[in-house]
Amino acid sequence: MSTDATAHVATTRVWDLVVRAGHWCVAGLMALAWFTGGMSGELHEWLGLLPLVLVMLRLAWGFVGPRHARFRQFLHGPRATWAYARDVWGHRAPRHVGHNPLGGWMVVALLVGVGCTALTGWLYTTDWLWGYAWLDQLHATLAWGTLGLVVLHVAGVLHSSLAHRENLVAAMWHGRKRVAQPPDVD
Ligand code: HEM
Ligand code: HEM
């Protein structure tokens, strides 16, 4: 734990370097992959394959990484997730130091979306499945569906930031957040 010298707010490291660097690299590479999607060629294929590697690393990190990177820390059952969604609706959701229950499932959806988009893109370039229109269509649908998830993701981040008066985007950059104080949840 440390203290922010200007505001005298006690903070704690929540997001480790693997989570932070992985996040902004995936976000940047996905943006470039979307922009180059219209041009067929190696540039798009390499830009798309790197996020797949990062997603696989993140999946492994979810089992062996530090506390707040672990899936078991932030994935909750349907009952708890539904209860949290109702609290958000009623403007009484508690602050979570790690991912909140809805955010936790969004993390899974984003990892699956990015992974499946890249996987279908790669399959389309193999001798086995090259030229199948349905696969091309599936790749495009997954790419745009994932973009839809990202829009929801950013909306959720902004909503939580405003509700709990903390800059979550900055926290994903430097890794530190205000320490938990009742009624916060770790
Ligand atoms: C292609 C675009 C994006 C993807 C695929 C993506 C994916 C993810 C994933 C997988 C996580 C979980 C981090 C982890 O535990 O490893 C996450 C968290 C986060 N992302 Fe993104 N993200 C994207 C864009 C953005 C953008 C543009 C912003 C900023 C406006 C943003 C802000 C955040 C923040 C603040 C968190 C932490 C949420 C929390 O405090 O619980 N993301 N994102
Ligand atoms: C995860 C990141 C990726 C994103 C966001 C993405 C996105 C897109 C988009 C938006 C298109 C245009 C689809 C359309 O409107 O017809 C496209 C096409 C394409 N993508 Fe990706 N892609 C990704 C990864 C990959 C990878 C890893 C490969 C191959 C190794 C790949 C191969 C292709 C090919 C060959 C096309 C052109 C298909 C055609 O000729 O119609 N993509 N991609």
Side-chain angles (χ1 to χ4, degrees):
M1 199 191 293
S2 72
T3 305
D4 180 324
T6 47
H8 302 292
V9 173
T11 61
T12 182
R13 168 88 59 211
V14 178
W15 309 124
D16 63 88
L17 187 62
V18 173
V19 163
R20 289 180 284 137
H23 177 267
W24 294 115
C25 286
V26 167
L29 288 162
M30 287 296 282
L32 293 173
W34 276 308
F35 283 122
T36 54
M39 332 165 185
S40 40
E42 279 193 17
L43 178 63
H44 175 72
E45 293 170 19
W46 281 110
L47 287 171
L49 278 175
L50 287 172
L52 181 60
V53 174
L54 293 172
V55 163
M56 290 195 298
L57 270 173
R58 178 62 184 96
L59 289 177
W61 202 238
F63 295 96
V64 300
R67 177 169 160 67
H68 286 101
R70 294 200 182 208
F71 295 120
R72 60 181 298 184
Q73 195 278 327
F74 61 79
L75 291 184
H76 300 262
R79 211 177 276 244
T81 307
W82 178 242
Y84 180 82
R86 289 172 58 133
D87 285 348
V88 171
W89 189 253
H91 302 286
R92 55 174 184 271
R95 170 179 178 262
H96 281 250
V97 176
H99 296 302
N100 67 51
L102 281 180
W105 287 109
M106 179 54 94
V107 170
V108 173
L110 286 164
L111 293 175
V112 169
V114 172
C116 290
T117 304
L119 197 65
T120 50
W122 170 72
L123 284 173
Y124 188 69
T125 61
T126 60
D127 288 345
W128 178 40
L129 289 172
W130 186 83
Y132 284 97
W134 63 266
L135 189 55
D136 183 19
Q137 190 55 50
L138 182 61
H139 179 57
T141 306
L142 284 166
W144 295 112
T146 304
L147 184 59
L149 287 177
V150 169
V151 171
L152 287 176
H153 167 57
V154 173
V157 164
L158 295 181
H159 181 273
S160 284
S161 296
L162 289 171
H164 302 296
R165 295 169 188 275
E166 63 180 342
N167 188 338
L168 292 179
V169 180
M172 195 27 98
W173 183 257
H174 50 61
R176 305 196 70 87
K177 289 177 78 174
R178 224 163 61 220
V179 293
Q181 282 185 341
D184 293 352
V185 182
D186 186 43

